Amino acid sequence: MSLYIGLMSGTSMDAVDAVLCDIKPDRVQFIDAHAVSIPNELKQRLENACRPDLSVTDYQYLAREYAALCADATLQLIEKAKVEKQAISAVASHGQTLWHAPPKHSGQIGYSIQLNDADWLSVQVGLPVIFDFRARDLALGGQGAPLVPAFHQFIFTNTHRAPIAILNLGGIANISYLDTQKGIALGFDTGPANTLLDQWIERHQGKRFDQQGRWAQQGTLQVKLLEALLNDPFFQNSPPKSSGREHFNLAWLERFIDEPYRPQDVQRTLLELTAKSAVDSFQWLPESPTQLIVCGGGAFNSFLLERIAQCLPDKVTLADSAQYGVAPQHVEAMAFAWLGWCFDNNKPANLPAVTGASRLATLGKRVNA
């Protein structure tokens, strides 16, 4: 067995997801998972840290506290899975993205900040930690994101002969396009998903997320607002492209709210923005996929899936990753477990066609316990 733990907390900052996988050169086998909710007070400070003027001292204290949560998730998963710690090769920790600033044009310096304290995490769990997965791709002129399309290619390539797409509905949505027959693998961020939906309902309802999209269903789509949001240059830019909270946040949204909309109407419009921007992104694909497979937390928002299905072109079917043996909520953490395995086995894990990097590269750094 080649056991790796993947840790992931996305743009929505709702929880640290830990997944234990047995990884081989030709497959990833899910073993167990555990999630630890991010406490409200810590979540608020993480959200406040998504700004360019965060002090070094605040960063270090926050990194240690976040690493403690990652350690809890890791140790609880090991206990739950009933595996010997010595059998685990490494923990692969993505960290919490605070700021993502990829290069906008050739030659520009890009950077991406993932809050982490890998040394402290490694000592606490008594295992090696692999981290900092974006830096090498950025150094090669790439976006450093999205990283999951390479994993999507690894686990979904042999499921279809015709082109398919995988839509990851995390805080930010990203799409992967796979055409096995032509050897094509592409991917990019399509725009906001759970991050704006979650922030808006938390502000107005005090809830962390909109269960099944029920609150959005109570609202009325505001076409004028939707058109204004879709006019943002991000949606018109061709790939490679990636984004995050530094762009799509409540301050961004409020610039477009020029009349007293009901809060549920804004929620309905944000849900439509997610659905429409995802399907509109097909314009950047070589051809329309035959199936769109959804994963991520947004896969549990039934109203969002309903709207995506209704926006899809004819003859494109909708499915979720569970139909292929991978639970939607586990895909991203599994991806980082796989990225950790790739690092240890010196396997390139970026896709230059996705990120725009100048070449393939092994991603990450490693610290030992």
Side-chain angles (χ1 to χ4, degrees):
M1 296 180 77
S2 183
L3 301 181
Y4 283 80
I5 289 176
L7 297 177
M8 178 67 189
S9 59
T11 325
S12 293
M13 300 183 183
D14 54 348
V16 174
D17 293 313
V19 172
L20 176 66
C21 298
D22 180 19
I23 304 177
K24 298 289 192 295
D26 61 344
R27 64 175 175 82
V28 175
Q29 180 182 347
F30 169 85
I31 295 176
D32 211 339
H34 185 70
V36 174
S37 294
I38 298 176
N40 286 332
E41 189 271 339
L42 176 57
K43 182 175 186 288
Q44 185 62 56
R45 288 192 290 122
L46 287 170
E47 289 175 345
N48 292 340
C50 295
R51 63 179 197 269
D53 60 344
L54 180 67
S55 75
V56 173
T57 302
D58 288 343
Y59 178 91
Q60 290 303 127
Y61 279 115
L62 198 57
R64 182 66 52 86
E65 194 169 346
Y66 173 79
L69 202 65
C70 290
D72 287 345
T74 301
L75 294 172
Q76 289 173 37
L77 173 60
I78 292 171
E79 182 178 359
K80 179 184 176 186
K82 295 181 171 55
V83 295
E84 294 295 327
K85 189 185 292 186
Q86 299 91 319
I88 299 170
S89 298
V91 175
S93 176
H94 175 250
Q96 179 62 59
T97 300
L98 298 182
W99 197 265
H100 183 64
K104 289 184 171 61
H105 52 76
S106 178
Q108 184 184 29
I109 295 174
Y111 65 93
S112 191
I113 299 172
Q114 279 69 51
L115 184 78
N116 228 334
D117 190 334
D119 286 283
W120 196 85
L121 174 60
S122 178
V123 169
Q124 295 304 304
V125 301
L127 289 166
V129 172
I130 303 168
F131 66 107
D132 200 13
F133 291 98
R134 299 196 190 280
R136 175 64 63 169
D137 189 87
L138 283 157
L140 292 168
Q143 298 268 312
L147 295 178
V148 292
F151 179 66
H152 292 160
Q153 181 185 36
F154 185 77
I155 63 173
F156 289 114
T157 287
N158 295 320
T159 59
H160 289 75
R161 292 180 62 82
I164 62 169
I166 300 93
L167 179 64
N168 178 42
L169 293 167
I172 299 294
N174 56 69
I175 196 167
S176 302
Y177 173 87
L178 305 175
D179 186 332
T180 303
Q181 287 187 302
K182 295 181 180 177
I184 298 173
L186 303 173
F188 50 90
D189 285 353
T190 65
N194 299 325
T195 183
L196 285 178
L197 290 166
D198 291 353
Q199 288 180 71
W200 189 255
I201 195 171
E202 187 165 17
R203 171 182 285 187
H204 293 278
Q205 297 274 303
K207 298 176 182 178
R208 281 204 164 190
F209 62 96
D210 187 5
Q211 184 79 36
Q212 301 292 343
R214 291 172 188 148
W215 192 47
Q217 278 186 293
Q218 296 172 24
T220 301
L221 175 63
Q222 300 299 309
V223 176
K224 176 185 170 185
L225 176 59
L226 176 63
E227 290 175 348
L229 297 172
L230 285 170
N231 277 331
D232 185 274
F234 178 84
F235 300 113
Q236 274 70 59
N237 292 339
S238 60
K241 60 179 180 177
S242 56
S243 192
R245 271 180 178 255
E246 70 292 329
H247 186 104
F248 294 112
N249 50 50
L250 291 185
W252 172 83
L253 172 62
E254 287 162 352
R255 295 203 307 267
F256 299 95
I257 298 178
D258 56 1
E259 55 185 90
Y261 298 112
R262 295 187 307 161
Q264 60 267 43
D265 292 346
V266 175
Q267 187 79 355
R268 171 68 182 87
T269 305
L270 289 174
L271 185 139
E272 194 73 13
L273 173 69
T274 299
K276 187 158 177 46
S277 59
V279 177
D280 283 354
S281 74
F282 284 16
Q283 68 182 299
W284 308 116
L285 305 179
E287 60 181 285
S288 182
T290 57
Q291 186 171 68
L292 182 65
I293 302 168
V294 294
C295 57
F300 298 98
N301 186 326
S302 56
F303 185 46
L304 175 57
L305 296 193
E306 178 184 319
R307 289 303 307 137
I308 290 172
Q310 290 173 356
C311 290
L312 285 173
D314 292 341
K315 298 182 180 178
V316 181
T317 59
L318 189 68
D320 77 43
S321 61
Q323 295 173 233
Y324 296 92
V326 187
Q329 70 271 30
H330 297 152
V331 174
E332 280 199 290
M334 288 176 67
F336 282 93
W338 177 76
L339 286 167
W341 177 87
C342 288
F343 177 86
D344 277 350
N345 289 274
N346 200 29
K347 301 284 187 184
N350 66 333
L351 293 176
V354 170
T355 66
S358 59
R359 61 174 172 83
L360 290 166
T362 305
L363 306 179
K365 301 179 178 67
R366 180 185 172 109
V367 294
N368 294 319

